[in-house]
Amino acid sequence: MLENIWHYRQFIYSCVKREFQERYTGSVLGILWSVFQPLAMILVYTVIFSQVMKSKLHGMEGTPFAYSIYLCAGVLTWNLFNETLMNIVNVFFKNANLMKKVSFPRVCLPTITVLSSFSNFIIGFILFCLFLIIIGGFPYLHIPEVILVLAVQSVFTVGLGLGLAVLNVFFRDVGQMLGVITQFWFWFTPVVYPATIIPESLRWLLGFNPMYHIVKGYQDIFVYGQHVDYIALAGVLLLGLLLCIWSLKMYQRHVGELVDEL
């Protein structure tokens, strides 16, 4: 499978480039929107929550931008997870005509989706890092841990998404149901609120939420300048690897039937 991805790398690169360009085709500002949108999010969070609402994060009362950084770290990474997952789940439907007309390894499609979502994320992430550098809060020593958390997130998202993508071809409710589940999932994950506001008697439930450990990893690094919880991330990585094995087996078992079902 990895050999197929490498062999078709030019095809994958061309598709990722085309998807990125098509996103802004027809707009006057074009690719500049990929900069303006995340920049607007960072500015809104900074101005509204730090300057207008004077929002404070427990334990970080002396840091004026703490809650804005907390929000940006959580929202940016949650959006990457949500966009990647939803696009992977619908990837075979979206490319049904291409699959019927052109012969190529089907595994290229989820790869294109992941890289396309990542290209959108990286622009916002770079702007977020520039913001941290400007205010003097960039965690230079924790960059390897950021890459680690991003890798764990990618394994978990791909493992979950690819299996659901195959199921979605045979059971069309999967994609619709996932859209509802992710809305509840977002609010069950401390992205816009700190975990400390959850009653202590219920806080243990967060331990079963993989995205809690991933989002918390980014927030620990960018907000508190702390090391990530390696044990918790190891658990998420193990879950992601198990999901990858399950997804690949399901994909290999049904790859020949996908075109007929679409």
Side-chain angles (χ1 to χ4, degrees):
M1 186 172 291
L2 292 176
E3 187 179 351
N4 283 333
I5 292 174
W6 176 252
H7 184 71
Y8 281 83
R9 61 188 181 281
Q10 287 299 333
F11 169 72
I12 292 172
Y13 170 75
S14 300
C15 290
V16 172
K17 184 179 177 183
R18 189 185 67 245
E19 283 197 14
F20 187 79
Q21 291 172 336
E22 284 179 350
R23 182 181 291 250
Y24 305 102
T25 299
S27 61
V28 176
L29 296 178
I31 199 171
L32 288 177
W33 283 115
S34 65
V35 177
F36 290 155
Q37 289 169 348
L39 183 62
M41 184 195 74
I42 294 171
L43 289 176
V44 167
Y45 286 175
T46 302
V47 173
I48 299 297
F49 291 102
S50 297
Q51 304 304 316
V52 178
M53 299 179 65
K54 304 291 183 185
S55 301
K56 302 294 181 185
L57 201 60
H58 180 67
M60 300 290 289
E61 287 80 3
T63 308
F65 297 111
Y67 187 62
S68 301
I69 298 171
Y70 185 89
L71 272 179
C72 288
V75 171
L76 274 172
T77 50
W78 177 270
N79 286 347
L80 172 65
F81 166 71
N82 191 49
E83 180 183 342
T84 307
L85 182 63
M86 297 305 297
N87 286 340
I88 290 180
V89 168
N90 293 297
V91 70
F92 295 126
F93 282 119
K94 182 182 174 183
N95 296 281
N97 288 333
L98 183 64
M99 292 172 66
K100 292 174 182 175
K101 295 176 182 176
V102 183
S103 176
F104 64 96
R106 305 306 186 220
V107 74
C108 290
L109 294 175
T111 307
I112 292 166
T113 299
V114 171
L115 293 177
S116 180
S117 299
F118 192 80
S119 66
N120 296 321
F121 162 78
I122 201 67
I123 295 173
F125 189 72
I126 289 174
L127 290 173
F128 176 53
C129 290
L130 289 175
F131 166 68
L132 292 176
I133 291 172
I134 291 170
I135 64 172
F138 188 74
Y140 293 95
L141 298 178
H142 295 278
I143 292 303
E145 291 179 291
V146 175
I147 297 171
L148 171 67
V149 181
L150 194 56
V152 172
Q153 178 178 345
S154 300
V155 171
F156 174 71
T157 308
V158 172
L160 180 62
L162 183 58
L164 293 178
V166 177
L167 284 177
N168 196 33
V169 173
F170 300 95
F171 307 100
R172 309 296 171 91
D173 292 329
V174 171
Q176 300 294 332
M177 189 181 299
L178 185 63
V180 176
I181 290 174
T182 51
Q183 292 185 48
F184 286 100
W185 198 347
F186 174 80
W187 290 107
F188 183 59
T189 305
V191 174
V192 298
Y193 60 86
T196 50
I197 71 169
I198 298 177
E200 196 164 351
S201 59
L202 298 176
R203 211 174 295 167
W204 60 274
L205 289 171
L206 290 174
F208 295 99
N209 179 358
M211 283 307 297
Y212 163 67
H213 300 296
I214 291 172
V215 171
K216 182 175 180 295
Y218 293 112
Q219 291 167 340
D220 282 345
I221 293 171
F222 290 112
V223 181
Y224 303 105
Q226 298 176 348
H227 293 295
V228 297
D229 186 341
Y230 289 102
I231 296 177
L233 283 178
V236 179
L237 179 61
L238 177 61
L239 176 62
L241 291 173
L242 291 174
L243 284 170
C244 284
I245 294 172
W246 166 71
S247 295
L248 289 175
K249 285 187 175 180
M250 182 172 293
Y251 169 79
Q252 289 169 342
R253 188 180 304 158
H254 297 288
V255 64
E257 308 167 32
L258 292 178
V259 174
D260 295 333
E261 288 292 331
L262 290 170

